[in-house]
Amino acid sequence: MNKKGFTLIELLAVIVLLGIIAMITTPVVLNAINNSKRQSLQDTGYSIVQAATSYQAELQQQGKKSTFSLDFSKSADRSILDIKGELPDAGYVEVEASGKVALALWSDEIDTCVTKSKNSKTVVISKTITNKAGCVIK
């Protein structure tokens, strides 16, 4: 007898195998996406540090008060700095007259905070912060 096609058992076996593969790969892909979003927020932090330093230098050249702070929760403060990329949902930046910059930025999308202290040169992804109220400058 000449059989054409697949039996129901063969089709079910293929579907089960595809389901197992999907269950294994989905968390890996989602983790990679979240890591890239965290890295993007960290890169935004570096951009904000650079923009804040430039803005502070401009203020000094104009003879204006060179110490300032910005609150990214307020829409007026968000446009002061010339920043490329997506702005954080909330955050705070402090710049001293000496040029030291501290920041804490929050992203609602990935529930992540990045911080930089005034004495540090690196923007760090905070792993212990669970809400934007806990995202503060140290």
Side-chain angles (χ1 to χ4, degrees), residues 67-80:
T67 299
F68 69 94
S69 61
L70 299 174
D71 185 355
F72 280 93
S73 303
K74 299 176 183 174
S75 59
D77 282 358
R78 292 171 76 89
S79 62
I80 290 175

Side-chain angles (χ1 to χ4, degrees), residues 51-110:
T53 304
S54 297
Y55 183 69
Q56 187 260 353
E58 287 177 26
L59 290 176
Q60 279 186 335
Q61 281 183 331
Q62 298 169 1
K64 296 180 181 176
K65 177 182 166 189
S66 59
T67 299
F68 69 94
S69 61
L70 299 174
D71 185 355
F72 280 93
S73 303
K74 299 176 183 174
S75 59
D77 282 358
R78 292 171 76 89
S79 62
I80 290 175
L81 300 179
D82 182 27
I83 303 167
K84 295 181 177 36
E86 188 174 332
L87 290 176
D89 297 311
Y92 194 76
V93 179
E94 291 178 356
V95 182
E96 292 181 345
S98 63
K100 292 184 178 182
V101 180
L103 64 82
L105 306 174
W106 175 260
S107 171
D108 285 332
E109 181 182 2
I110 53 175

Side-chain angles (χ1 to χ4, degrees), residues 38 111-115 124-129 135-136 138:
R38 284 187 194 94
D111 288 337
T112 301
C113 177
V114 295
T115 58
V124 179
I125 299 171
S126 299
K127 298 181 186 332
T128 58
I129 305 301
C135 185
V136 294
K138 296 177 183 176

Side-chain angles (χ1 to χ4, degrees), residues 46 49 100-102 115-124:
Y46 282 111
V49 167
K100 292 184 178 182
V101 180
T115 58
K116 177 190 174 301
S117 66
K118 290 180 183 174
N119 296 323
S120 174
K121 292 185 179 189
T122 59
V123 177
V124 179

Side-chain angles (χ1 to χ4, degrees), residues 6 9 24 32 40 47 64 79 112 131:
F6 298 105
I9 303 252
I24 292 170
S40 175
S47 295
K64 296 180 181 176
S79 62
T112 301
N131 60 28

